[in-house]
Amino acid sequence: MKNPLNYVRPNILALAPYSTARDDFKGGDISVWLDANESPYNNGENRYPDPHQHQLKHHIAELKGVREEQIFVGGAGSDEAIDLVYRIFCRPGEDNVVAIAPSYGVYSVAAAINDVEFREVQLRNDYSLPVNRLLKATDPRTKVIWVCSPNNPTANAFPRADIARLAEAFDGIVVVDEAYIDFSERGSMLDVLDNYPNVIVLQTFSKAWGMASLRLGMAFAAEEIAEIFARVKYPYNVNGPTQQRVIEHIVNDDISEHVAEIKREREALAEALRGMPMVKEVYPSDANFLLVKFDNPDATYDYLVANGVIVRNRSKLIACEGCLRITVGTPAENARVVELLKEYQQ
């Protein structure tokens, strides 16, 4: 069994985290709080939030079927966890990471910010995962392999067995970004964390849960790694109102109907698009969006924007030439897209 702490930078292992007086508070009847230089006037927001998000992690653990000790909660969606991966495992100016391409752009941006070499390995022509080429792209200074599954922008999820092969063969950290996992039939890697301690799984409340405005993401990992995340993060990285709102959504919301409708609408929208002469291909999707190849993507994009519909133009990406990425909206929004495209082709 791999020891994930072997991959952590020595200075991070030695780091003494910032601590508050409340970290040492173990209970008792405290009615006067004079430790943190806060305002004493209660307006509902005058106290610092729980820096460890204990209550929130309890609800997330129940929701996801993991232990609280395996959870890191980030206050900038998944992007905070992405940045922490670089800071924890990669020495600036020395180490490198390997990632699939095309994929989520923040991986490369965070690499540049942290002065870490970013190596891209193109997906196969059918967008499947090139496990052997990913492994061949590594060297002794490769600390992380990034895999987004379902992948953005190609929309496909990769077989769990392929990701497991990477984790078994690679002497480093494999990060699996599952932002769109709720829309996929492939299944999450959360249930294999105890078998693969070098795997970190990222998820978010921004997509299926409809909390993009709250900017809350999660990393799930071996307990030792989750503890390192907690040590390196800034003390109050998730504000109090966000913690409370997310708990309320977890307790009160049932997203199953919305997810089911998005899946139905995804297939209906794909079918409608396949019947249009301007559409060259609609790629299979495990996410809440479609990657669609058009004869003239730029003109189609401009036409949609001019008529009040914005999609994402991905036609300049290698392997996505000619493609627009279309998020699956409400039935009325999807019908509007189909209506506009039918009018445009006439």
Side-chain angles (χ1 to χ4, degrees):
M1 185 74 72
K2 295 177 180 178
N3 181 358
L5 293 181
N6 290 339
Y7 309 122
V8 177
R9 291 167 56 190
N11 65 303
I12 299 297
L13 279 177
L15 178 69
Y18 176 85
S19 64
T20 70
R22 293 169 203 181
D23 289 330
D24 300 323
F25 173 62
K26 303 302 181 183
D29 185 15
I30 303 296
S31 59
V32 179
W33 297 91
L34 302 178
D35 61 300
N37 299 337
E38 303 150 317
S39 169
Y41 305 108
N42 185 8
N43 63 2
E45 297 168 342
N46 59 309
R47 298 297 181 188
Y48 285 109
D50 174 10
H52 306 295
Q53 308 103 20
H54 289 298
Q55 187 180 9
L56 176 56
K57 286 180 180 177
H58 171 75
H59 288 281
I60 291 174
E62 288 191 340
L63 176 70
K64 299 294 184 178
V66 299
R67 298 184 296 279
E68 293 179 39
E69 295 78 13
Q70 294 177 296
I71 303 170
F72 165 78
V73 180
S78 297
D79 296 343
E80 182 178 357
I82 291 169
D83 180 66
L84 284 175
V85 166
Y86 285 103
R87 287 197 275 151
I88 290 169
F89 300 106
C90 301
R91 295 166 298 178
E94 295 185 34
D95 294 328
N96 67 76
V97 301
V98 171
I100 60 173
S103 196
Y104 183 40
V106 169
Y107 309 142
S108 62
V109 172
I113 291 171
N114 287 280
D115 192 20
V116 174
E117 181 189 353
F118 189 78
R119 300 178 177 181
E120 292 184 303
V121 175
Q122 288 292 315
L123 296 174
R124 297 191 184 102
N125 291 338
D126 62 355
Y127 295 150
S128 59
L129 192 67
V131 174
N132 291 335
R133 282 195 283 122
L134 284 166
L135 293 171
K136 287 180 181 178
T138 67
D139 63 27
R141 290 189 175 179
T142 305
K143 304 303 181 183
V144 178
I145 295 178
W146 294 97
V147 178
C148 185
S149 180
N151 187 38
N152 176 13
T154 60
N156 60 313
F158 304 115
R160 283 160 41 104
D162 285 353
I163 299 172
R165 280 183 57 207
L166 278 178
E168 291 167 356
F170 177 53
D171 190 21
I173 298 295
V174 176
V175 182
V176 187
D177 189 343
E178 295 184 344
Y180 302 95
I181 196 63
D182 297 283
F183 306 102
S184 175
E185 304 302 321
R186 289 282 191 186
S188 171
M189 296 295 287
L190 284 180
D191 62 356
V192 303
L193 289 178
D194 287 333
N195 298 326
Y196 299 102
N198 61 326
V199 169
I200 297 173
V201 174
L202 306 184
Q203 291 191 6
T204 181
F205 282 109
S206 296
K207 309 301 181 184
W209 279 88
M211 295 187 237
S213 178
L214 295 179
R215 305 304 300 126
L216 193 122
M218 300 156 285
F220 304 91
E223 294 177 13
E224 302 94 324
I225 293 300
E227 192 276 329
I228 294 290
F229 269 79
R231 190 186 304 181
V232 177
K233 78 173 183 67
Y234 289 111
Y236 304 105
N237 64 320
V238 181
N239 68 67
T242 290
Q243 291 187 43
Q244 189 55 45
R245 286 290 291 148
V246 173
I247 290 171
E248 291 170 2
H249 280 294
I250 292 174
V251 172
N252 298 318
D253 293 358
D254 181 359
I255 65 169
S256 59
E257 289 188 11
H258 282 168
V259 170
E261 181 170 79
I262 287 173
K263 288 181 177 180
R264 290 193 300 269
E265 285 293 308
R266 179 181 70 192
E267 301 314 311
L269 180 59
E271 188 63 25
L273 291 170
R274 289 190 187 100
M276 297 181 181
M278 68 174 68
V279 173
K280 300 176 69 175
E281 188 166 2
V282 180
Y283 293 94
S285 176
D286 293 290
N288 67 334
F289 60 88
L290 296 171
L291 187 68
V292 185
K293 180 174 285 190
F294 288 85
D295 281 330
N296 194 332
D298 293 336
T300 304
Y301 175 84
D302 291 341
Y303 167 78
L304 289 173
V305 171
N307 285 275
V309 174
I310 186 165
V311 297
R312 190 73 187 270
N313 191 340
R314 303 276 73 186
S315 61
K316 302 300 188 293
L317 287 178
I318 295 174
C320 290
E321 292 87 354
C323 291
L324 303 181
R325 193 191 71 192
I326 303 174
T327 304
V328 179
T330 65
E333 290 171 333
N334 301 328
R336 177 61 175 158
V337 171
V338 172
E339 176 188 26
L340 285 171
L341 291 176
K342 284 182 176 178
E343 291 175 357
Y344 182 59
Q345 70 186 10
Q346 291 176 353

